[in-house]
Amino acid sequence: MASPSYRLAALDEEFLLGDSMRGVRFLMEYAKAEEALRAWGVRSTLVVFGSARIGENGAGEHARWYREARAFGRLASERGGALHGADGQPRDNVIATGGGPGIMGAANRGAADIGAPSIGFNITLPHEQEPNPWSTPALTFRFHYFAMRKMHLAMRANALVVFPGGFGTFDELFEILTLRQTDKAPRIPIVLFDEGYWRAVINFDVLVRHGMIRAEDLALFRFAEDAEGVWAALLAGGLKPGCSIE
């Protein structure tokens, strides 16, 4: 009876964390978040990404980026349908971030400012990752697998809003752009905040000139300079407040 083989499989941590159970762990990460999101009536989200290194008290552009991310989280939650749920209606356009500090924390904070729920899809990392205090506790998740985190970020997204950031932000941006370009994802609006930043760090026109993307691929995203501009760009791109993607 003391033998590891006699333990119930569901209670055998050594077995569950072994190589042969990787697929099961992957499924569990999907199911755990799925169950919580359904319980909260979350039908669709607005994904906000940006640098974890930008704080509220940063200098210059950093302070503006943080301020506008917070303002967007607030106005999108107010106008998009995130405050539904208590009346039995599904919640739409709920702010969803990578869960960490910086820009992502600012967006979650904006939702919290008006009492709206928001989601934090955290990932286990050796640094730069701990949940910010503003995502709704019951909707604050932690993933081991990047792939499953990406799936949850993308699968309910009505839109993607990308503030200035580094490698992790680029990763999420190009993931969604590729899904859109290849028609593997619905035609959701994608808005890049601060055109000057994005054109400085990515020369989109050079990609077109060398034939790496088509000129019409540049229509996959828009630019905006403040929270109201982001919301206007989302509406112009087809976002419908209080509705899920079709």
Side-chain angles (χ1 to χ4, degrees), residues 6-19:
Y6 191 74
R7 297 176 196 148
L8 287 172
L11 302 179
D12 189 339
E13 184 174 311
E14 184 179 353
F15 169 68
L16 290 174
L17 295 179
D19 287 346

Side-chain angles (χ1 to χ4, degrees), residues 28-49:
M28 289 170 66
E29 289 206 338
Y30 168 78
K32 184 176 181 180
E34 178 74 11
E35 185 174 299
L37 291 165
R38 286 179 181 273
W40 273 72
V42 177
R43 181 167 61 175
S44 61
T45 61
L46 298 180
V47 175
V48 180
F49 245 75

